[in-house]
Amino acid sequence: MTLLHAAEPSGRSRSRDGHIDASYRRKAERWFQAAVSAGRAGHMVHERIVIPGNPADVILDQAKRARADLIVMGSHGRRGLSLLMLGSVARSVVRQARSPVLVVKARRKP
């Protein structure tokens, strides 16, 4: 299993050369660790990757490179105007992926 975090670097998360800075990478690593611990899946994780760029494009490219059997991704579950303005990474991946995609709606924060 490969854990992938794809993000458009912007503001404070962008280093001077346009890449994701070290503090953002550490934040992603903490998120990876929490997800792996919650799922008790540490022994199953082969690789953890943080890649800058358009999330849908990054996910599709990495899935193609890895010849992924399945793409599992979270979704914020946006609707209406926010979906139209921001687009939907999950929707793009589902439409363009060559392998099956499982989309899991993120829990709402209390």
Side-chain angles (χ1 to χ4, degrees), residues 1-6 31 55-75 88-105:
M1 175 174 23
T2 299
L3 297 179
L4 169 67
H5 179 75
W31 182 87
D57 293 342
V58 170
I59 292 165
L60 291 165
D61 181 57
Q62 289 299 305
K64 183 178 177 181
R65 287 175 189 249
R67 297 182 183 166
D69 295 319
L70 175 67
I71 299 168
V72 179
M73 59 186 299
S75 173
S88 172
V89 174
R91 184 180 299 218
S92 294
V93 171
V94 166
R95 286 185 175 167
Q96 298 176 59
R98 294 182 178 173
S99 53
V101 179
L102 173 63
V103 180
V104 180
K105 185 175 178 183

Side-chain angles (χ1 to χ4, degrees), residues 3-101:
L3 297 179
L4 169 67
H5 179 75
E8 295 267 9
S10 62
R12 292 184 296 191
S13 65
R14 186 188 319 228
S15 65
R16 289 184 182 164
D17 60 2
H19 293 90
I20 294 174
D21 76 3
S23 64
Y24 191 88
R25 286 186 184 279
R26 285 191 300 272
K27 181 179 176 182
E29 182 57 38
R30 285 192 303 272
W31 182 87
F32 285 156
Q33 189 58 47
V36 168
S37 295
R40 299 183 189 141
H43 64 285
M44 298 169 59
V45 176
H46 171 69
E47 188 174 22
R48 298 172 184 184
I49 306 169
V50 178
I51 299 177
N54 176 284
D57 293 342
V58 170
I59 292 165
L60 291 165
D61 181 57
Q62 289 299 305
K64 183 178 177 181
R65 287 175 189 249
R67 297 182 183 166
D69 295 319
L70 175 67
I71 299 168
V72 179
M73 59 186 299
S75 173
H76 294 287
R78 291 188 176 102
R79 295 181 188 188
L81 188 57
S82 65
L83 174 63
L84 291 174
M85 291 176 68
L86 299 172
S88 172
V89 174
R91 184 180 299 218
S92 294
V93 171
V94 166
R95 286 185 175 167
Q96 298 176 59
R98 294 182 178 173
S99 53
V101 179

